[in-house]
Amino acid sequence: IYKKSSNISKKNFLLLSRYSGEKKRSIVELINLKNGKKVHEWSPNFDNINKKSKLSKEIINFKRDHNNSRYQMIHPYLMDDGSLFYHSIYYSPLVKIDICSKFISNLDMFTHHSIEADEDGLWTPITYLPSKNNPGLDENKGIGKTFFYDDGILKVNFKNEKLFEKSLIEILVENKLSHLIFGGKDPSRDPIHLNDIQPVLIDGEYYKKGDIFLSFRNMSMIMLYRPKTNKIIWYKQFPWELQHDVDILDDNRISIFNNNRLRNKFDKDVEHNNLIIYDFKKDKIDYVLKKKFKEYDIKTIGEGLADIYSDGSVFIEESNFGRILMLNKNGEKLWEYINRSRENNKLYRLNWSRIINLDIKKFKKELDKNNECKI
């Protein structure tokens, strides 16, 4: 990380989730952005933690897909006491570990993608396997089985106890919008592909505290849902395409990290990503630093995220290619991180990092109680 200058309030720590080319495993590091130094590292024993799950081994292959060398700690969420929530990218329990990476609890559901907080808990996508609402697309293949992905939303409290869950197919059916999935098209086993849940923390004219924004990758759709009333308030498809990461900027604007892929061959010649702001009041789309995305060759095929700060600076993770950029409002680089191994010079992926507020005195106090896990 190199740093010139940055003005992002008191958010001076990077919670860096990455695959370490040296350690050959997924780790999470807390980085002090004032000096670029590592404050702490989490490196749990995934094999031992996986043994605590009672999820069907016919559906999830822990030994093959989620072992110590293949697990991906996706979008970890840090608590003030140093405990950490995480799951893998596809279909694994939601796990909570302590500041020393020791197991605290797991929630045995098929969780995946984003982990975002409101005042009393965390939201994360889930998938019901086998599905609760099965259109007959499950299929036996040899000794295995292919399932229909019945995506849903899950909220837990900070003790990792379930507070709320709901199938998205049920939400769409109950809001008379089932045609968005079953509209005469060829059937898909993964029609929604929920990749982000963003809770609304403020009241505004267009959305209320307690609402959630949802990002449906495979529908190129952003949706606003009100759990209290089970009502879909708003939805929009395009101009974002196979997007990730919807964020709330203020009481009438949201931002969307746009992978911008639909016009291209699925795995080749990816156009540059871009960052879109949608203004509800003006019903208008604006692009943020669009030329800079091309100049810096930002084009993660999947995943990726971006945050816009009040001073106009932008944090971007190019997940597939192991790069983070922090740009000022004019698009100049404030700092850059590249997840390149010092051993073999290869790039390794990032797993959805974030810049955070942190009470560092409280955090170090917790570390002092646990001398055995200091770096």
Side-chain angles (χ1 to χ4, degrees):
I1 295 175
Y2 68 81
K3 189 172 188 298
K4 295 179 180 177
S5 63
S6 182
N7 176 23
I8 47 174
S9 185
K10 296 180 180 179
K11 293 176 181 259
N12 288 322
F13 293 89
L14 172 66
L15 193 63
L16 177 64
S17 187
R18 67 186 184 94
Y19 191 90
S20 169
E22 291 83 16
K23 298 182 179 181
K24 302 297 187 291
R25 57 162 295 135
S26 182
I27 62 174
V28 175
E29 297 168 303
L30 181 67
I31 308 295
N32 187 334
L33 290 177
K34 291 180 179 178
N35 54 28
K37 292 182 178 180
K38 180 163 70 172
V39 178
H40 189 58
E41 178 181 315
W42 292 262
S43 184
N45 188 320
F46 303 121
D47 288 338
N48 286 346
I49 292 174
N50 288 340
K51 292 175 184 177
K52 301 180 184 298
S53 174
K54 295 181 174 60
L55 290 175
S56 170
K57 305 304 185 289
E58 295 179 0
I59 296 176
I60 181 170
N61 192 328
F62 284 108
K63 289 185 178 180
R64 183 192 67 195
D65 300 330
H66 300 295
N67 57 48
N68 276 338
S69 63
R70 296 195 68 191
Y71 198 102
Q72 297 172 237
M73 296 176 75
I74 295 294
H75 213 202
Y77 184 84
L78 179 62
M79 302 291 291
D80 287 342
D81 63 359
S83 60
L84 198 75
F85 286 87
Y86 69 87
H87 49 49
S88 195
I89 183 65
Y90 288 119
Y91 318 124
S92 66
L94 181 63
V95 176
K96 185 180 183 182
I97 56 176
D98 69 11
I99 199 168
C100 294
S101 300
K102 294 177 182 176
F103 176 82
I104 296 176
S105 66
N106 71 348
L107 185 62
D108 250 352
M109 300 183 73
F110 293 104
T111 62
H112 51 91
H113 288 88
S114 69
I115 301 175
E116 296 285 4
D118 60 18
E119 291 178 349
D120 57 354
L122 302 170
W123 288 93
T124 190
I126 55 173
T127 299
Y128 297 100
L129 297 170
S131 63
K132 295 174 64 179
N133 308 277
N134 197 325
L137 294 179
D138 290 354
E139 182 180 2
N140 289 313
K141 288 190 173 183
I143 61 172
K145 191 168 187 176
T146 300
F147 291 96
F148 174 76
Y149 298 123
D150 186 356
D151 282 353
I153 54 178
L154 171 69
K155 184 177 181 180
V156 302
N157 62 21
F158 294 117
K159 294 181 180 179
N160 207 9
E161 299 166 333
K162 182 170 62 176
L163 297 176
F164 178 87
E165 65 170 301
K166 183 79 172 173
S167 161
L168 286 169
I169 290 178
E170 291 176 356
I171 290 171
L172 289 165
V173 169
E174 290 162 5
N175 281 268
K176 300 188 183 335
L177 290 172
S178 59
H179 61 276
L180 293 175
I181 297 177
F182 309 113
K185 302 173 289 185
D186 289 338
S188 166
R189 287 192 179 90
D190 188 11
I192 295 174
H193 198 103
L194 175 65
N195 58 32
D196 189 20
I197 303 174
Q198 188 67 47
V200 178
L201 307 179
I202 56 174
D203 281 326
E205 183 179 349
Y206 302 94
Y207 28 87
K208 304 295 182 184
K209 185 176 179 180
D211 293 352
I212 52 176
F213 279 96
L214 307 169
S215 171
F216 301 164
R217 189 198 75 167
N218 286 1
M219 300 171 72
S220 293
M221 179 181 289
I222 303 296
M223 180 172 285
L224 177 61
Y225 172 65
R226 187 160 292 161
K228 289 180 181 178
T229 60
N230 189 36
K231 294 298 182 184
I232 293 173
I233 308 301
W234 170 91
Y235 65 91
K236 181 174 175 58
Q237 288 177 291
F238 308 105
W240 37 83
E241 301 170 327
L242 300 190
Q243 78 291 330
H244 289 71
D245 192 31
V246 54
D247 290 314
I248 300 149
L249 299 181
D250 50 38
D251 60 1
N252 64 279
R253 295 182 305 152
I254 60 174
S255 67
I256 300 99
F257 180 83
N258 182 27
N259 294 81
N260 195 28
R261 291 181 53 203
L262 209 60
R263 298 189 188 97
N264 298 283
K265 294 179 181 178
F266 196 77
D267 291 319
K268 297 178 181 178
D269 302 323
V270 178
E271 283 189 21
H272 294 96
N273 308 141
N274 54 53
L275 182 56
I276 295 173
I277 291 178
Y278 176 70
D279 190 320
F280 280 81
K281 186 179 292 185
K282 299 177 181 178
D283 188 23
K284 182 184 175 185
I285 296 291
D286 286 310
Y287 290 88
V288 179
L289 301 176
K290 189 173 184 179
K291 291 182 179 178
K292 293 296 181 178
F293 274 75
K294 184 175 182 179
E295 179 182 335
Y296 298 135
D297 200 25
I298 302 169
K299 55 179 183 181
T300 184
I301 298 168
E303 306 175 55
L305 52 82
D307 291 317
I308 305 172
Y309 296 96
S310 58
D311 65 351
S313 58
V314 180
F315 171 87
I316 303 164
E317 181 185 291
E318 195 182 14
S319 308
N320 295 166
F321 301 121
R323 179 171 61 153
I324 294 174
L325 298 99
M326 189 76 192
L327 310 179
N328 68 15
K329 64 181 181 180
N330 299 316
E332 299 165 335
K333 284 185 189 179
L334 298 175
W335 54 263
E336 182 177 48
Y337 171 79
I338 297 175
N339 189 25
R340 189 183 298 278
S341 170
R342 290 184 291 272
E343 288 186 357
N344 57 24
N345 206 39
K346 290 182 179 179
L347 290 173
Y348 289 88
R349 60 164 293 124
L350 295 171
N351 293 320
W352 301 27
S353 306
R354 59 177 118 208
I355 294 178
I356 60 171
N357 286 316
L358 183 69
D359 186 337
I360 192 62
K361 290 183 180 179
K362 185 175 181 179
F363 186 85
K364 287 184 175 179
K365 200 172 184 180
E366 289 294 328
L367 274 181
D368 289 339
K369 295 179 189 176
N370 299 274
N371 285 319
E372 76 275 12
C373 65
K374 285 186 175 180
I375 58 172

